[in-house]
Amino acid sequence: MKIIDIGANLTDPVFRGKYRGKQAHADDMPHILERARASGIVGMMVTGGSLSESAEAVRLSREHPGLFATVGCHPTRSSEVDKHGGGADAYFAGLRALIDDNRDIVVAVGECGLDYDRLHFAAKDVQNKYFERQFELAAATGLPMFLHCRNTGGDFERIMRANRDRFSGGVVHSFTGSADEARQLLDLGLYIGINGCSLKTEDNLAAVRTIPIDRLMIETDCPYCEIRKTHASHALLATDAAWTAPDAKKKERWDSDSMVKGRNEPCMIRQVLTVLAQLHGVSEAELAERMFENTRSVFFKDVEYDF
């Protein structure tokens, strides 16, 4: 079984044992990556959500084989663009330089898009302006896009349609929309990324069932979006599954063989796979193979790496 986690926020300090600025336990990145490999993960896309975060995603990807970076500006971070020394031009020149200097490991422009649920971080007009600008990066580099959409009232679809000829393809990750919204994304030729946050409610499950497996990708969005006992999807986790989640302990009781409670990890992608297979009535092995090929065809067709 081969799995690519398309959305892993491995630049988050919690993966180095630091929580809210305080070191709670040792840096356990090597153990996290080991657990990921043991779960069947052969590659991960490390999300870049700002200029500095994208640089860190590139650094991590250079350090650990099998990691690849996205480079872009998340909508909730778009207010930092105008505050950057040299302004927006310098900010986007920095993103472009990261891409150009690391073409062997940068696989997408993003994370970019719109998020109207969190306008307290960045106003609509700012989000729209700097979302539009990231199509310039995609057009100039030929890279696909790693996209974010939350409660945009049609603005996301409008902008995507207006710019669809400027990028080769992409995925809307962490999808939480309706079946109608999924259909609109599919009509744009996009893929849809599913994680635990995509599977919280019965309505979520109904929407995900409508997405054909040849347009699905899988992710954790770790350290967020774990499947919780209160989620509708939890009932679909088989008690006799072939893969068992590692033990998890509170961070104060951390040890290298255990996950940390409340900190999602890449290895937990197997739970997302189990739920998706149940929803689509196929085996986990068949679905994993299909999603692996979907991901490779969009993000890795020009990457020389032996998965």
Side-chain angles (χ1 to χ4, degrees), residues 170-172 185-186 189-193 214-217 294 297-298:
V171 64
V172 177
L185 299 177
L186 297 173
L190 298 172
Y191 288 74
I192 297 177
D214 62 358
R215 301 291 285 281
L216 280 174
M217 295 184 188
N294 293 345
S297 70
V298 174

Side-chain angles (χ1 to χ4, degrees), residues 149-178:
C149 176
R150 283 286 185 276
N151 192 27
T152 66
D155 285 356
F156 180 85
E157 183 189 5
R158 173 183 57 79
I159 291 173
M160 293 301 297
R161 290 195 182 280
N163 292 280
R164 187 60 189 88
D165 61 344
R166 303 177 72 189
F167 67 101
S168 59
V171 64
V172 177
H173 100 109
S174 195
F175 177 76
T176 59
S178 66

Side-chain angles (χ1 to χ4, degrees), residues 227-259:
I227 293 178
R228 299 178 182 271
K229 291 181 179 180
T230 55
H231 293 177
S233 55
H234 193 270
L236 299 179
L237 295 177
T239 56
D240 58 347
W243 179 83
T244 302
D247 289 337
K249 298 180 178 179
K250 292 181 178 180
K251 61 182 183 294
E252 294 82 6
R253 298 177 58 237
W254 172 88
D255 66 60
S256 60
D257 294 327
S258 302
M259 299 191 303

